Amino acid sequence: MNNIRRLFAIICVIVYLIPVYGQKDTITAEGLYLKYNTPSYRMSNFDIQNFDKIMRGEIRRPTPDDSDMERGELVRQTKCIGLTYKALPQYIISEKFHLNRPQSNPIELLWTAGWSITSQWIHEDGECILFIGCSGDRTRGWVKPNKSFNKLPENIFDWLKQKLNVAPLSLERITEEEIQKIKKKITIWSPEKAKETFNSQYVITYPIKSKKSVYMGKYTHKRDLMIIKWGEHLTVSFLVTKKGNKNIDKYIKDVEEAFWFED
């Protein structure tokens, strides 16, 4: 009976989320909206050698077909950094995708959420969408994390500098003054709370204050939560409707239940 109710709830949220104008606004079997998202593809028999050849221009990446869609990327990337997760039944979980450029998504969303999303989690209540990003990347050759590394990585601040609009885009090394400005905009959990909640070394949260950073015309990007261990990280972006923003703590609790770093 519970499974039947769960299935009915998922069907209801899919119906709720489908706008009435146009096929590209309907949700696909991959949990995506093709008006706003482009599925991420990979070559058949992808390996690091082929990737290097593509980057050097020695071979071209062929136009993929559906069988080449990149599936299971969240599993691969989280495993790469020693992070485990459980799929929560109240969420529809997508494969990896790219946010379509500004003709479908505002540039402010691309600035704050990034354009490559490892997985999208849509809550069954239709009021919250989570964008998941992970530092585990197949182009690293699946190098295991350095478990002796216990500092807060400086490149995190480089990334946050752009995301929080502390300074304009620059190739210059981040300054101590910029780091201090960033620290005033973020909340760093105590080591005890980070370990107890995610078995991580650091957790950083920060609000997204851009009113134009909106997804699908109604999900406003309100907050990010970054879980860090051994210099690796997973970032969860919370995009909520006006109603969902009132219950954002509930969605944060869901994330706390879903992710856990190994020892």
Side-chain angles (χ1 to χ4, degrees), residues 32 45 59 72 89 95 102-103 105 148 165 167 169 172 184 189-191 206 218 223 226 245-246:
L32 299 178
N45 302 317
I59 62 175
E95 292 292 339
Q103 62 270 21
N105 295 294
S148 65
N165 199 28
L169 182 63
E172 298 293 328
K184 291 179 180 179
W189 289 12
S190 69
Y206 46 92
K218 62 179 177 179
R223 188 177 303 184
M226 185 184 297
N245 192 42
K246 297 177 182 178

Side-chain angles (χ1 to χ4, degrees), residues 159-187:
W159 189 63
L160 290 176
K161 178 174 72 170
Q162 314 304 328
K163 202 165 191 180
L164 297 175
N165 199 28
V166 168
L169 182 63
S170 171
L171 296 178
E172 298 293 328
R173 184 180 179 87
I174 191 169
T175 66
E176 182 60 31
E177 180 182 2
E178 290 171 338
I179 290 176
Q180 293 308 315
K181 286 182 179 179
I182 291 169
K183 286 184 175 180
K184 291 179 180 179
K185 292 175 175 283
I186 65 178
T187 298

